Structure formats: C-alpha cells, structure tokens
DNA sequence: CGGTCGTTTGACTGCGGTCAAAATCCGTGG
DNA sequence: CCACGGATTTTGACCGCAGTCAAACGACCG
C-alpha cells in the first residue's frame, strides 16, 4: 500500500485518452469543469490491490490506462473473476457504501477517481453522466451474461478460445487496429488469472493453450505474446457464430 | 402466438402491485399519468415465448405477475439461462433495436409494456425513470456476477443449494414473509430449466435434489413443493457465508 | 386406455481436477 | 556476466465428478 502514488497534477480532461469512452463521454465543457474539481489521479503498480471487497468505498472512477480485474472469493479460497477492467471502464457503484468485489491491478494502472459523495450529488444534477453510466452498465450486463454462457456451457477449449477472442476484440478496439490485420497482442493475464476468469484450473488452461498452438489456431512468442492468424478459425473454436460480425 | 391476449383495459398505475418496485417506482403522479398513455398490458400463457432473440423489439416493459426466463442458445442447442424474471423486473434494453436473448414465460405471465420509442423519449425527459432503471440494472449486474461464481466455481450440490436459496429469498421478499418462518414455496422451474440455469444436465439436477432431500436439507411434497426446515443449513450447503444476513 | 411430458434411477465414460515434478522465465545481487 | 531463488508455466499420471445413454416410472390428459 505504501508504493501507491497520488499525482498532484491531474491532466486536463480535454486531453484525456478516454475522454470519449468513459463515464464523462457525453459531458459538455462546463460539466467537465465541474468534474475536474472533484477528480484526482491515482497510480497503482502491477499486483497491487486497488479495493478490498467489503471495504468502505470513498471513491468511484475510471481506468485511464492499464488493466485491472474484479474478483470474488469464497471462504475456502475458490475465486472467480467477474470482470476485466480495461481503459475507460468504470469502477464502483454509486449508491453503495462498501465494495462488493476485490479490484486488483494486473498491470501498472492509472485511475481517474472521483470522491464518491460529490460524484453522486453531481449525477443527480447531470443527466449526461447518469445516461452514460446507464449505457455502460447495460453493456457490462450484456458482457456478464455472455460470460455466463461461457462458464456454464462451454468446454475448456472453447473457454480459452472465447477469452482470447474477447481480448483480441477489445485490444483491436482500444488500439483502433483494423480487424482484418493479423491480430497480435500481449496477454495481460497469468495462466492462473485466466483460470479464475474461465472457471478452470491453471493446469487445464496451460494444456488447452498448448493444444490450440499445436493445432495452429494461435501462435505464441514466449508465454504471453499471441498472434491470431485467422480470427474466423478462433471464433469457430470458441463455439461462436463465426460469420455475422462479432467484430463488425 | 394466437393465444396471446391483449387486455383492452390496463389497470390504474396507482393500484399496480409492482408500483413501488418496478421501473416506475420513483415516478410522481403526473409522470405516472404520462406513462399510462404509452402503456398496455399483455398476457402470455405458460410455455409461450415472449420475445425471440434477434427479433426487432417494439416494446420494453415490466413483469407484473408470473415468471419468465432469459436464455441464450448456441447453434448446437446448448442453452444457458442468464436471468430469472420475477414480478417488477424489467424486460428489454432502451437504445437497442433487436433482442439479445429469448424471453420465455414459465408460468402464466402478465406484462406491463411500453412502446419502445415513446418510452425512450420519455426517459430523456424523466430522470426519475432513468435513475430507477440504472439502480435496477446495477442490481441485475450484481446478480449476474454472483451467478458467475456459481457457474464457474461451485459443485453440482452447491449449485442446487444456491438456486434454492435464491428462489427462497426472492419468494420471501415478494410475499413479504418473515424469513424466520418455515420457508416453503413452489419451484417455478422444471428440472431442465434448473439445469439450464445452473450449467448442469437435468439428470444431475435430479440426483442432487434427491440427495439434498435424503440428507434432510430440504423437504419435498410432490416434485415441486419445497420446504426448507433450516435456511442456515441450506446456505452452508450453498457455500455461502451462513451468518451475516444474506437474508437480513 | 395409450400417449406425452417430466422425473428418477442405473451403468458406464470421459473431461477436467488433483497431485507431483520438471522446466522455463526473470529479477537481483555477487 | 553468471549464479541463485522465486514465480510462472508445462507436463505427466491418476482420479472422481458430472455427463451420456438408456430404461423405467408417475402424473396428467385426450
């Protein structure tokens, strides 16, 4: 906790890399000015816990850069990841006083935080924020439901393929890369984190990743750098409808 | 589809049984009057499909009475339930033109429908509706994430116990029953529907229900009527924290 | 009475979990 | 530059939980 850093200077909203995708996306200039007054940046290092489940939450905020995970843990230690937080994703629930999940930085992370009470008060007066938050929450709900199908009904191989295609899609969207390009990215998750996301053990993840590599569905350089020669093939392996533009 | 019934008369909102829990919960009298103008009731019989995935959605609405399910299906027929819709739950996504899931009535069902375009237009002008919808969506997101833990990490026995405790909780809350009472309710789902919710086969569901009965965790009269002699015991079996008031 | 639907039960199989060990990666300090 | 130690990943052998296939049972209805 000691190596967490608060930045004294928060960059101007108008230059923010997530300006057009985050909870503030629809705000007008004057609304942004009021947001500037209650915002502050915080940095976390890879591996640090951002919020502990059950803790009192004094802020909500957006991921500016880096990746974090949302996880739930049972008393006996079994854990399930319930969300992957990428830049522009929102953290925290207005109207709730204590955190429901652990939030952990898996890479170095920068967050744009808003003090909770002022943010909630501002939400009531600023429909642009509430509207955008509703839209984002509906998207997250859809993603969670898609993930329920993955967890409940897919095989281990399909689960891995599903995770890779989701990361590939999000990566392409964030980096504005063309989908027709040869997709290539770094896995932001350890095998254990992948297992926690997919409801598998890390051994099974390792075996199935190797199998997909052996079958030519993916290519690996080192343990983490992935290339996808044929995205249609990967989507087929995921059990998704290959055509019909999940990527459109 | 022919036996679907439209009611010519929609009861007054002020007498509505879900008045204080549905998307209209926070509306003032004048706001309710405007909602009355765009609402209509529809009845569905048990087994009927309310909405097909992919269909154009011409309405959104609330469940007034009865129970419906939200399901997703893969090409090869594997299906996963992603939501259980009880009275006051909201159906449909403002801002989206086609349905993402199948909605099926599992009992006779009455819905309070709003034509989609007028409802969306009204949402922009009526913060009370948007606020309540955000709150409900956040609750659904939490429920979906809790379910991800069930699907990803719990054993078949724990899954059954989790489902029973959720139904017991919701049933108690809807019928305003005291939790300390001897909990008793009718299962609104077939074994197959339970299996689709839990990511199991119907045979496994049947076996585990029998096992819980044999072990005295639940009592059965017929196939569907369930009594829970000790809710704490059931929560233990579900792998949840037994104390601490999930039921508080 | 036969037919359908939902459910239970049994026998067997196989996918993914468990336990264990080896291999690889990577940062750190001598 | 290399040796060391810890973390991460891979691989192997074995096992058990839940899936599969099949049959029978009970309730309900025409």
């Amino acid at each position: 906790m000691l190596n967490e850093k608060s930045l004294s200077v928060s960059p101007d909203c108008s230059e923010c890399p997530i300006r057009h995708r985050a909870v503030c996306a629809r705000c007008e200039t004057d609304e942004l000015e009021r947001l500037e007054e209650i915002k502050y940046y915080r940095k976390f290092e890879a591996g640090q816990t951002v919020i502990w489940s059950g803790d009192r939450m004094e802020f909500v905020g957006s991921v500016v850069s880096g990746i974090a995970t949302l996880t739930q843990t049972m008393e006996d230690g079994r854990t399930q990841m319930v969300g992957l937080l990428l830049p522009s994703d929102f953290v925290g629930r207005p109207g709730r006083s204590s955190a429901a999940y652990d939030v952990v930085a898996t890479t170095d992370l920068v967050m744009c935080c808003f003090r909770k009470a002022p943010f909630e008060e501002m939400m009531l007066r600023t429909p642009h924020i509430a509207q955008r938050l509703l839209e984002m929450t509906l998207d997250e709900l859809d993603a969670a439901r898609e993930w329920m199908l993955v967890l409940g009904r897919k095989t281990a191989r399909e689960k891995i393929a599903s995770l890779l295609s989701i990361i590939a899609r999000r990566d392409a969207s964030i980096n504005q890369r063309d989908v027709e390009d040869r997709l290539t990215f770094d896995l932001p998750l350890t095998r254990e984190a992948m297992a926690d996301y997919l409801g598998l053990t890390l051994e099974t993840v390792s075996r199935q990743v190797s199998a997909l590599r052996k079958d030519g569905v993916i290519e690996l350089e080192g343990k983490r750098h992935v290339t996808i020669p044929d995205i249609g093939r990967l989507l087929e392996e995921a059990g998704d409808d290959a055509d019909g533009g999940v990527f459109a």
Side-chain angles (χ1 to χ4, degrees), chain A:
Chain A
M1 276 304 173
L2 288 180
N3 40 8
E4 172 205 321
K5 290 155 191 164
S6 272
L7 303 187
S8 48
V9 182
S10 299
D12 196 300
C13 284
S14 60
E15 293 165 16
C16 179
I18 58 169
R19 164 74 180 90
H20 54 301
R21 316 188 83 213
V23 73
C24 52
R26 299 216 187 137
C27 287
E28 310 285 348
T29 314
D30 59 324
E31 292 166 340
L32 279 185
E33 275 165 20
R34 267 177 292 149
L35 272 180
E36 300 253 21
E37 287 166 23
I38 63 171
K39 96 179 193 203
Y40 56 99
Y41 272 38
R42 281 176 74 179
K43 273 188 166 178
F44 299 88
E45 296 184 354
Q48 261 193 291
T49 295
V50 177
I51 300 165
W52 295 90
S53 169
D55 269 12
R56 188 167 173 56
M57 289 210 316
E58 72 264 11
F59 67 90
V60 297
S62 303
V63 174
V64 176
S65 66
I67 291 175
T69 62
L70 221 54
T71 59
Q72 235 176 338
T73 305
M74 294 170 68
E75 292 126 75
D76 61 9
R78 283 176 281 176
T79 74
Q80 175 64 52
M81 197 184 301
V82 296
L84 191 58
L85 300 170
L86 302 191
S88 84
D89 282 342
F90 189 77
V91 177
R93 169 167 177 164
R96 172 160 298 177
S97 56
S98 70
Y101 313 100
D102 293 324
V103 180
V104 179
T106 59
T107 65
D108 287 352
L109 184 74
V110 178
M111 293 218 31
C112 174
C113 303
F114 305 104
R115 281 179 296 127
K116 190 161 157 294
F119 183 83
E120 285 169 357
E121 197 272 333
M122 187 165 168
M123 249 182 58
L124 292 177
R125 289 184 297 109
T126 316
H128 282 159
I129 294 179
Q131 283 165 15
R132 177 66 185 144
L133 187 57
L134 175 59
E135 192 174 52
M136 292 173 74
T137 306
L138 286 165
D139 283 342
E140 278 187 272
L141 183 57
D142 278 346
R145 286 174 166 164
E146 184 184 334
W147 210 247
M148 287 171 66
L149 177 65
V150 173
L151 291 172
R153 291 303 186 191
K154 292 196 177 179
T155 64
R157 186 181 173 99
E158 290 171 331
K159 284 179 174 181
I160 300 288
S162 297
L163 177 58
L164 292 176
S165 60
I166 281 180
I167 293 175
R169 175 169 57 214
R170 289 194 156 194
D171 188 77
S173 135
I174 285 176
N175 298 325
Q176 306 282 34
R177 222 171 284 141
D178 191 349
V179 180
E180 301 309 319
D181 289 356
R182 208 144 189 284
L183 287 169
T184 189
F185 56 89
D186 280 307
L187 268 181
L189 303 175
T190 64
R191 297 287 185 263
E192 186 178 22
M194 292 172 67
D196 285 343
Y197 206 177
L198 296 167
L200 297 171
T201 60
L202 65 92
E203 294 95 327
T204 298
V205 170
S206 178
R207 274 185 254 269
Q208 296 297 337
V209 168
S210 298
L212 288 175
R213 182 179 48 67
K214 190 159 58 62
D215 296 346
V217 181
I218 60 175
E219 291 162 19
L220 288 179
E221 293 168 71
K223 309 291 184 190
R224 297 289 192 88
H225 194 76
V226 180
T227 303
I228 302 189
D230 178 358
I231 184 68
R233 175 80 194 286
L234 184 66
L235 290 174
E236 242 172 65
E237 292 284 354
D240 293 340
D241 212 342
D243 45 52
V246 181
F247 268 79

